[in-house]
Amino acid sequence: MKPVRKAVLPVAGLGTRVLPGAKTTPKEMLNVFDRPILSYVVAEARAAGIEHFVFVTGRGKGAIEDYFDHHVELEAQLEAKGRAALLEEIRGELPRPGEMSFVRQMAPLGLGHAVWCARDIVGDEPFAVILPDMLMRAEPPALAQAIAAHDAAGGNIIVVEPAPPGEAHKYGIVALGDVAPGFDGRLARMVGMVEKPPPGTEPSDLFISGRYILQPEIFALLASQARGAGGEIQLTDAMARLMQVQDFHALRYDGVTYDCGDKVGLLRANIAFALAHPELGEAARAAVEALLKA
């Protein structure tokens, strides 16, 4: 079984749920406390052992590639002013040679199409898909939990969690079979999945929450996948076809998810990560408490 070395990050979306904030700034580059959302996501993937990142971008997303590059003038100023710690922090996010690739999704044809755009770089090996607007706080990181499940069970791994009450119809929902050994009962074989089922028809309340481990055979299915919900090429539809010939397991991961593609979700993420900051957490708590009292 080949290891999971590569991750596909679809970042071409327009971020309509967080407009006007995402009008000129990619939604993945919106700040969560002291750094962009994407900074946390890349750190999560690196901690899980990912060696190569494939960003599927679109028009107006140049800031993402610029962020993971040298800013010569800024670095020179920090060095001249003796800001060594901050300079080291900024340079610490820079990619190693060949660690990041950028491909263009020319039209907004859906998540499945975005993943398909990465096919030539991923090649014939299992890979991760990370939805960057789903920010996850977990220890070990959510993607590391998914890779551990893949190492144990093989096949395809889908990270899931309970949808908010009454909102399962808004997500891709999974249907589960037998519980797999280990993982404290959190890993189970999948027997079905459906994208945004009509209210009252959901097979469970567990939604696909933004981390996947997929086998490369998904690319051939995406190439012929008909448009589904919303008139887009849905990754869920192609996975449902692949499940007819390959094993799928759902992992109910241990952690908390913040939907940063939503205005209130982004606010929740800002507060949570501010309170958890090792240096500024206490000051952030005092600020939040003062606002609530006011």
Side-chain angles (χ1 to χ4, degrees):
M1 186 169 58
K2 295 180 180 179
V4 179
R5 302 185 308 113
K6 298 178 181 179
V8 176
L9 292 85
V11 294
L14 297 177
T16 53
R17 291 187 295 153
V18 286
L19 286 173
K23 180 180 178 181
T24 58
T25 301
K27 65 176 180 177
E28 301 83 6
M29 299 303 295
L30 296 175
N31 254 30
V32 169
F33 192 48
D34 65 340
R35 65 194 63 233
I37 298 166
L38 202 53
S39 173
Y40 293 101
V41 174
V42 168
E44 174 194 336
R46 282 174 170 160
I50 294 299
E51 301 173 6
H52 192 161
F53 296 83
V54 185
F55 294 91
V56 183
T57 68
R59 288 184 296 275
K61 298 285 185 166
I64 294 174
E65 192 166 355
D66 289 342
Y67 184 80
F68 293 104
D69 196 357
H70 284 285
H71 191 314
V72 178
E73 296 82 5
L74 173 62
E75 293 177 31
Q77 285 195 26
L78 292 175
E79 190 166 15
K81 294 179 180 180
R83 304 290 299 276
L86 185 55
L87 179 60
E88 181 180 0
E89 184 177 3
I90 289 174
R91 286 177 172 169
E93 291 199 276
L94 296 176
R96 298 183 298 274
E99 186 186 23
M100 292 184 176
S101 298
F102 296 82
V103 299
R104 191 92 164 201
Q105 185 183 22
M106 304 299 289
L109 297 178
L111 176 58
H113 181 262
V115 172
W116 182 73
C117 288
R119 64 197 182 281
D120 289 337
I121 299 176
V122 172
D124 187 26
E125 59 183 278
F127 65 101
V129 175
I130 304 174
L131 303 189
D133 52 1
M134 302 300 280
L135 192 52
M136 296 177 166
R137 290 196 66 217
E139 188 56 46
L143 188 61
Q145 294 181 41
I147 291 176
H150 172 264
D151 292 345
N156 303 269
I157 304 295
I158 310 299
V159 174
V160 300
E161 63 185 289
E167 296 187 12
H169 64 281
K170 298 180 180 180
Y171 302 94
I173 301 296
V174 302
L176 301 183
D178 296 336
V179 174
F183 296 90
D184 299 321
R186 295 184 291 108
L187 185 67
R189 185 179 298 276
M190 289 173 53
V191 296
M193 67 186 88
V194 59
E195 183 68 27
K196 298 179 181 177
T201 68
E202 306 93 335
S204 76
D205 69 341
L206 295 175
F207 76 96
I208 301 169
S209 58
R211 303 292 185 270
Y212 314 69
I213 306 295
L214 298 175
Q215 298 299 318
E217 288 78 11
I218 193 73
F219 291 123
L221 298 176
L222 287 169
S224 61
Q225 184 61 52
R227 298 194 184 199
E232 298 180 338
I233 298 173
Q234 296 291 346
L235 181 61
T236 305
D237 294 340
M239 291 192 301
R241 293 168 62 196
L242 184 58
M243 191 169 14
Q244 297 175 17
V245 294
Q246 286 187 0
D247 287 340
F248 272 74
H249 285 84
L251 174 69
R252 183 168 173 170
Y253 94 107
D254 185 13
V256 180
T257 299
Y258 302 94
D259 182 358
C260 294
D262 172 84
K263 291 179 180 179
V264 175
L266 182 60
L267 173 63
R268 290 178 62 241
N270 268 279
I271 296 172
F273 279 80
L275 295 177
H277 195 281
E279 297 175 5
L280 301 174
E282 288 303 317
R285 183 175 298 277
V288 171
E289 290 176 348
L291 286 171
L292 291 174
K293 289 178 181 178

